[in-house]
Amino acid sequence: MIFAAGLGTRLAPFTDNRPKALVNFNGRPMLENVAEKLIKSGVNRLVINVHHFPDMVIDFIKSRSWDAEVFISDERDFLLDTGGGMLKARDLLSGEENFLLYNTDIVCDLDVRQLWDTHVQANNLATLSVKDRNSTRKFVFDCDLRLCGWKNFTTSQLRMSREVESEPRFLAFSGISVISSRIFDLITETGKFSITDVFLRLAASEKICGVPYSGFWADLGTVEKLSIAEREFCKR
């Protein structure tokens, strides 16, 4: 599932007349970059959610001949955030034993097939791609990289799901995760909610783990970050 429904207000004026998912990165829409990366990794079924300028996204998808089935999860009536968006797409996702979640506004050279294989072999409820990078908000992991909590370093807010019995590791989420469809039976949240809230609640009893990633990664969520990422990407 590609999360492509965001308003992209921090990318204005680019998003004044188009959805965030269709803002260009390195000469091509973000959505196209992500979809083709996933297809090259072996994905043959894509679920894409829409909200902001939804018809533009749908028309764009129809104009492409991707080697994958594409399904639309329509959130035009109400934007549901990552957790609510995933839950709304339940009927499109739960037929698979596992599924991948990918934010459309990031770019990286992560091997998603390797992340998938790690998840399957470990039999995790969720496997999160994480990175040791500058961020004001980070997940808290134990020495086995099991999720234990979350910290906001700006406000010092700390949300713990379970006790850390070793030196904690603070790692930032990369916006990519592999999830077992078992998660749908464990979700009690409704409406609009973040997938982070689900992870933190379930980490108290379920196996949710992080997989550190050290390669190229960039957030495309603001005009400044988009410009910086394009320069760095071209250097590489």
Side-chain angles (χ1 to χ4, degrees), residues 181-235:
S181 59
R182 293 184 289 113
I183 199 170
F184 289 116
D185 293 331
L186 302 172
I187 291 177
T188 57
E189 293 83 357
T190 59
K192 180 179 180 179
F193 59 94
S194 170
I195 190 68
T196 297
D197 295 331
V198 179
F199 290 154
L200 291 173
R201 180 174 61 80
L202 294 179
S205 58
E206 301 291 334
K207 190 180 176 186
I208 299 177
C209 296
V211 175
Y213 163 68
S214 59
F216 175 69
W217 182 95
D219 174 10
L220 310 178
T222 69
V223 173
E224 181 183 13
K225 289 178 178 178
L226 178 64
S227 178
I228 293 171
E230 285 188 324
R231 291 198 298 271
E232 181 64 23
F233 185 82
C234 288
K235 288 179 184 177

Side-chain angles (χ1 to χ4, degrees), residues 8 25 33 71 78 80 89 106 108 110 119 156 180 200 208 230:
F25 170 78
N33 289 327
F71 300 87
F78 192 73
L80 294 169
I106 59 171
C108 66
L110 173 73
H119 169 83
S156 297
S180 166
L200 291 173
I208 299 177
E230 285 188 324

Side-chain angles (χ1 to χ4, degrees), residues 7 20 22-23 31 33 41 47 51 55 65 79 113 115 124 138-139 165 179 190 219 235:
L7 296 174
K20 176 172 65 173
L22 297 187
V23 172
L31 177 59
N33 289 327
S41 298
V47 176
H51 173 80
D55 292 331
S65 298
L79 187 60
R113 170 61 66 179
L115 181 69
N124 295 335
K138 294 185 178 184
F139 281 127
E165 298 179 353
I179 315 290
T190 59
D219 174 10
K235 288 179 184 177

Side-chain angles (χ1 to χ4, degrees), residues 9-29:
T9 53
R10 296 180 302 157
L11 274 170
F14 296 139
T15 49
D16 289 347
N17 58 5
R18 76 186 73 178
K20 176 172 65 173
L22 297 187
V23 172
N24 281 356
F25 170 78
N26 197 36
R28 299 201 309 170

Side-chain angles (χ1 to χ4, degrees), residues 97-99 113-128 177-182 207 209 211:
E97 186 175 354
N98 299 287
F99 56 90
R113 170 61 66 179
Q114 188 174 64
L115 181 69
W116 180 280
D117 290 343
T118 298
H119 169 83
V120 172
Q121 291 166 12
N123 194 31
N124 295 335
L125 180 70
T127 303
L128 319 179
S177 55
V178 184
I179 315 290
S180 166
S181 59
R182 293 184 289 113
K207 190 180 176 186
C209 296
V211 175

Side-chain angles (χ1 to χ4, degrees), residues 50-131:
V50 297
H51 173 80
H52 190 50
F53 293 106
D55 292 331
M56 288 183 67
V57 178
I58 293 170
D59 289 343
F60 175 79
I61 292 168
K62 289 179 178 178
S63 73
R64 293 302 187 264
S65 298
W66 290 330
D67 190 18
E69 288 186 284
V70 181
F71 300 87
I72 300 297
S73 183
D74 197 326
E75 297 178 28
R76 73 181 71 205
D77 292 335
F78 192 73
L79 187 60
L80 294 169
D81 206 340
T82 49
M86 181 187 73
L87 183 60
K88 181 177 177 60
R90 177 175 185 167
D91 289 345
L92 298 171
L93 297 170
S94 59
E96 303 292 334
E97 186 175 354
N98 299 287
F99 56 90
L100 182 83
L101 298 179
Y102 203 118
N103 291 354
T104 192
D105 59 351
I106 59 171
V107 60
C108 66
D109 55 13
L110 173 73
D111 185 338
V112 293
R113 170 61 66 179
Q114 188 174 64
L115 181 69
W116 180 280
D117 290 343
T118 298
H119 169 83
V120 172
Q121 291 166 12
N123 194 31
N124 295 335
L125 180 70
T127 303
L128 319 179
S129 175
V130 292
K131 189 172 175 62

